[in-house]
């Protein structure tokens, strides 16, 4: 993304400058807990930043910021040093009031662009040509990484070193292994993010090139028409929901579906099924098969410690089972309309190809659509292994360290560890290691409890504050494929955000036309994972962003509206797969639409109208 190259002036059209915003009064110490390189500096006023509410819709605790830290280290390396995208490098990030703002680093010098283009052709094109082989290799790497993380064992710090270890002449005490396991836990998480970005930007880039080709050939072609040409693709990100639907069919088949009722606690349902005899035990056996590994999907998008996996908290999957069971009993269809999507996809591809005027254009079209079909499944599929399965293991491992510190009085609960940043956690662990080694009391129990309470209170205060969707001057050029396709940040969208801000509270909200169709209904504003249970059949979901674990609710809602997202965001992809209207990238929907209002969603035009 190119910056405009000048600071905001009274005449420049842009968003508030970073320096005009301050930490919420009383939370300054908590703001200062984030490392210096995450803090806004005076020179940042000259740059454009946008709030990454797609990945960080809620204020971040001190420890959870490691997710941004590790992700942007890896993303930048992939863009800048590995695949060398010609016109864009990595992403800078800053945090204020717990919110993550990001800004792209553009390449504007023609000589550097030419140099990077030559490198890109040698690097990225090799990946495109060998996609299947390299992707199979990627799966093996992720499987090993997950296995390694799962097998890390945190020492218990016994009163005395085990005699067998002494007689074996090991020569290393248990407190050293606390540090070793901690460092391996962090190293694995940073490594995972490099695997995450190994293919991702190439996938977005391939689709963006195809998208641009279609727009130049057919300027009037709608964005979702282009997206239709890659719809109906199979991917493992849909597998958890597919398994859940299979469990609903199994429940009806075994006659145990009456146990799944709205509002019932999962633990009570499982206990009841255990007492049902053979039919209940048969369903539980199917459940165990389905949940490992497919319930290793987080309730959020993998960026917050409290967004537990389905396996850790069965609330989301079990809340979907009553509706799925009812559909099975009624003989209604449960599957996504894959066959219809593929049929429409092939129809649109043939019609578009026939409209091209030369053999050369048709050959280029064939090559680009073929590449898009090869790379597209990874765009969503990698999330299951990276953001969900691995991140769930990572946060649970950090919980073990929190439990160790809590047992030694550093703070009351294991969850308190997430109020420390990652450097502070290591300091606390070394304090404990020193205390255990020399027999003196650790100093942490006197230091950390009030700090934990202060930071927890700060996060609660930050959650009450609405932050601007963007900061700084509007950039002249936006050409980072991830920023355009994933976040939906384009010049048109930024202009819509500014127009909405200056127009006041009108009844119309504009965003990306993500999935066609027109629906009127009751808006249900969902700002956190905990609020998903309020959705009722036929509601229109209004949220900051969706994530893969929310797939079951797409069978319940009639349309989706999000604050952030582009044509390749999760909300856009899943809405198209389920045939629901969707408007994404509105920036202000969750602020402007009130819960319970009646709204109209026009996914073909990208317009949401408030009717009440």
């Amino acid at each position: 993304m190119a910056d405009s190259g000048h600071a905001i002036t009274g005449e420049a059209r842009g968003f508030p400058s970073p320096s005009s915003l301050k930490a919420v009064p009383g939370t300054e110490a908590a703001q200062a807990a984030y490392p210096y390189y995450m803090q806004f500096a005076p020179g940042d006023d000259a740059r454009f930043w946008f709030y990454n509410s797609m990945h960080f819709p809620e204020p971040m605790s001190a420890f959870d910021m490691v997710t941004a830290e590790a992700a942007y280290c890896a993303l930048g390396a992939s863009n800048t040093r590995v695949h060398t995208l010609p016109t864009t490098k990595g992403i800078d990030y800053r945090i204020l009031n717990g919110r993550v703002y990001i800004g792209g680093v553009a390449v504007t010098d023609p000589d550097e662009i030419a140099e990077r283009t030559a490198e890109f052709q040698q690097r990225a094109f090799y990946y495109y040509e060998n996609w299947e082989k390299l992707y199979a290799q990627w799966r093996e790497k992720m499987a090993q990484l997950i296995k390694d993380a799962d097998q890390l064992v945190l020492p218990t710090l016994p009163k005395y070193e085990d005699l067998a270890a002494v007689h074996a002449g090991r020569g290393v005490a248990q407190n050293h292994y606390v540090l070793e396991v901690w460092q391996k836990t962090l190293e694995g998480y940073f490594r995972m993010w490099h695997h995450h970005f190994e293919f991702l930007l190439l996938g977005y880039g391939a689709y963006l090139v195809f998208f641009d080709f279609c727009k130049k050939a057919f300027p009037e072609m709608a964005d979702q028409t282009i997206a239709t040409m890659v719809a109906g693709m199979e991917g493992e990100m849909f597998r958890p929901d597919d398994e859940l639907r299979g469990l609903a069919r199994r429940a009806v088949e075994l006659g145990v579906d009456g146990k799944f009722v709205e509002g019932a606690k999962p633990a009570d349902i499982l206990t009841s099924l255990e007492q049902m005899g053979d039919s209940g035990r048969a369903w539980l056996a199917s459940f165990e098969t389905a949940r490992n590994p497919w319930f290793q999907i987080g309730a959020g998008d993998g960026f917050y410690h409290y967004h537990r996996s389905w396996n850790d908290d069965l609330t989301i999957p079990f809340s979907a089972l009553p509706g799925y069971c009812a559909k099975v009993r009624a003989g209604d269809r449960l599957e996504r309309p894959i066959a219809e999507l593929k049929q429409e996809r092939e129809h649109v591809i043939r019609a578009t190809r026939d409209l091209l005027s030369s053999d050369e254009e048709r050959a280029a079209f064939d090559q680009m659509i073929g590449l898009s079909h090869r790379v597209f499944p990874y765009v969503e599929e990698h999330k299951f292994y990276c953001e969900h399965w691995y991140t769930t293991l990572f946060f649970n491992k950090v919980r073990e360290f929190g439990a160790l510190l809590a047992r030694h009085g550093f703070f009351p609960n294991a969850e308190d560890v997430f109020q420390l940043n990652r450097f502070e956690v290591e300091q606390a662990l070394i304090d404990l290691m020193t205390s255990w080694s020399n027999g003196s009391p650790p100093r942490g129990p006197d230091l950390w409890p009030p700090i934990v309470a202060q930071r927890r209170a700060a996060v609660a205060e930050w959650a009450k504050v609405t932050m601007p969707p963007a900061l700084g001057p509007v950039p002249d050029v936006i050409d980072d494929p991830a920023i355009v396709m994933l976040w939906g940040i384009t010049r048109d969208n930024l202009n819509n955000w500014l127009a909405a801000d200056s127009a006041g509270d009108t009844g119309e909200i504009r965003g990306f036309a993500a999935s066609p169709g027109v629906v009127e209904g009751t808006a249900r504003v969902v700002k956190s994972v905990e609020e998903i249970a309020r959705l009722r059949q036929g509601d229109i979901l209004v949220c900051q962003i969706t994530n893969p674990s929310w797939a079951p609710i797409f069978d319940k809602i009639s349309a989706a509206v999000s604050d952030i997202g582009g044509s390749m965001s999760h909300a856009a992809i899943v809405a198209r797969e389920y045939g629901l209207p969707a408007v994404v990238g509105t920036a202000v929907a969750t602020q402007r639409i009130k819960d319970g209002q009646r709204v109209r969603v026009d996914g073909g035009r990208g317009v949401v109208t408030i009717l009440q």
Side-chain angles (χ1 to χ4, degrees), residues 25 67 133 192 201 205 234-235 290 319 371 394 429 450 455 505 585 602:
T67 59
K133 179 188 77 172
M192 179 276 289
L201 277 301
E234 300 289 352
S319 67
L371 180 60
F394 171 71
L429 291 173
R455 292 181 183 172
D505 191 11
D602 187 337

Side-chain angles (χ1 to χ4, degrees), residues 261-285:
V261 295
E262 292 279 358
K265 294 181 179 179
D268 293 340
I269 295 173
L270 293 175
T271 299
S272 180
L273 287 166
E274 288 172 356
Q275 298 169 350
M276 285 191 70
D278 291 345
S279 58
R281 286 192 292 272
W283 188 90
L284 290 171

Side-chain angles (χ1 to χ4, degrees), residues 300-355:
D301 207 10
F303 295 87
Y304 295 84
H305 69 272
Y306 50 85
H307 288 173
R308 308 300 295 270
S309 74
W310 284 8
N311 264 337
D312 290 338
D313 181 357
L314 293 167
T315 301
I316 288 181
F318 273 46
S319 67
L321 282 172
Y324 284 171
C325 287
K327 286 199 167 189
V328 173
R329 288 193 298 268
D332 294 340
R333 178 176 181 170
L334 276 185
E335 296 80 7
R336 288 181 295 126
I338 294 292
E340 291 88 337
L341 289 168
K342 287 182 177 179
Q343 186 176 10
E344 183 183 8
R345 179 182 78 199
E346 296 308 314
H347 171 74
V348 174
I349 289 173
R350 286 194 302 271
T352 303
R353 190 181 189 279
D354 290 345
L355 291 172

Side-chain angles (χ1 to χ4, degrees), residues 157-319:
L157 295 181
K159 183 176 182 179
Y160 298 112
E161 195 71 28
D162 187 84
L163 189 60
V166 177
H167 288 175
R170 181 185 296 167
V172 177
Q174 290 296 300
N175 60 342
H176 170 75
Y177 295 115
V178 172
L179 181 62
E180 180 183 71
V181 174
W182 170 251
Q183 291 176 339
K184 284 182 176 180
T185 298
L186 273 180
E187 190 278 333
Y189 193 59
F190 274 74
R191 179 183 294 269
M192 179 276 289
W193 281 104
H194 280 270
H195 292 331
H196 174 281
F197 286 108
E198 183 178 353
F199 292 84
L200 186 60
L201 277 301
L202 297 179
Y204 287 137
Y207 181 79
L208 186 60
V209 169
F210 173 66
F211 183 92
D212 287 343
F213 173 88
C214 292
K215 279 294 189 181
K216 288 176 182 175
F218 309 105
E220 301 302 317
M221 180 176 284
D223 293 0
Q224 63 261 40
T225 301
I226 303 173
T228 298
M229 289 188 264
V230 294
M233 308 299 290
E234 300 289 352
E236 290 186 348
M237 202 61 249
F238 293 103
R239 183 71 179 272
D241 190 36
D242 290 341
E243 292 291 334
L244 195 58
R245 293 163 191 257
L247 287 172
R249 292 189 200 92
R250 184 69 169 145
V252 174
E253 173 189 313
L254 292 167
V256 301
D257 51 298
K259 297 295 181 182
F260 299 98
V261 295
E262 292 279 358
K265 294 181 179 179
D268 293 340
I269 295 173
L270 293 175
T271 299
S272 180
L273 287 166
E274 288 172 356
Q275 298 169 350
M276 285 191 70
D278 291 345
S279 58
R281 286 192 292 272
W283 188 90
L284 290 171
S286 297
F287 170 62
E288 288 300 322
T289 300
R291 73 186 299 187
N292 295 302
W294 302 111
F295 279 24
Q296 297 284 12
I297 183 170
D301 207 10
F303 295 87
Y304 295 84
H305 69 272
Y306 50 85
H307 288 173
R308 308 300 295 270
S309 74
W310 284 8
N311 264 337
D312 290 338
D313 181 357
L314 293 167
T315 301
I316 288 181
F318 273 46
S319 67

Side-chain angles (χ1 to χ4, degrees), residues 351-366:
T352 303
R353 190 181 189 279
D354 290 345
L355 291 172
L356 294 170
S357 57
S358 68
D359 289 341
E360 183 180 29
E361 283 185 326
R362 283 187 283 273
F365 176 86
D366 292 343

Side-chain angles (χ1 to χ4, degrees), residues 499-540:
D501 187 57
S502 61
D505 191 11
T506 65
E508 193 170 270
I509 301 169
R510 292 185 173 272
F512 265 98
S515 183
V518 179
V519 166
E520 291 185 10
T522 301
R524 196 62 61 205
V525 181
V526 174
K527 293 188 177 181
S528 69
V529 172
E530 289 73 21
E531 297 180 355
I532 291 176
R534 296 192 300 109
L535 285 164
R536 294 294 176 262
Q537 197 70 38
D539 281 350
I540 291 174

Side-chain angles (χ1 to χ4, degrees), residues 39-158:
Q39 308 280 354
F40 275 114
D44 291 334
D45 278 2
R47 300 181 59 186
F48 172 75
W49 306 86
F50 67 92
Y51 171 29
N52 185 7
S53 61
M54 167 169 284
H55 296 119
F56 308 105
E58 304 161 48
M60 300 288 287
S61 68
F63 185 85
D64 289 3
M65 270 304 296
V66 71
T67 59
E69 190 174 22
Y72 294 134
C73 277
L75 184 153
S78 179
N79 276 15
T80 309
R81 312 293 178 185
V82 180
H83 295 304
T84 62
L85 273 66
T87 60
T88 185
K89 294 182 178 177
I91 287 178
D92 277 335
Y93 64 102
R94 305 287 187 267
I95 186 165
L96 180 63
N97 290 327
R99 271 42 176 253
V100 179
Y101 282 87
I102 61 177
V105 180
V107 182
T108 56
D109 177 67
D111 291 337
E112 186 176 4
I113 291 174
E115 176 187 331
R116 293 179 64 81
T117 298
E119 291 290 343
F120 180 79
Q121 290 171 345
Q122 298 180 73
R123 298 158 185 262
F125 286 15
Y126 179 83
Y127 262 72
Y128 289 140
E129 291 166 3
N130 297 277
W131 191 269
E132 288 76 16
K133 179 188 77 172
L134 293 170
Y135 190 27
Q137 181 178 304
W138 179 90
R139 285 173 174 273
E140 293 176 2
K141 289 184 296 190
M142 279 306 304
Q144 187 62 51
L145 197 65
I146 289 168
K147 181 179 179 181
D148 291 344
D150 201 31
Q151 292 180 345
L152 288 174
V153 178
L154 182 63
T156 57
L157 295 181

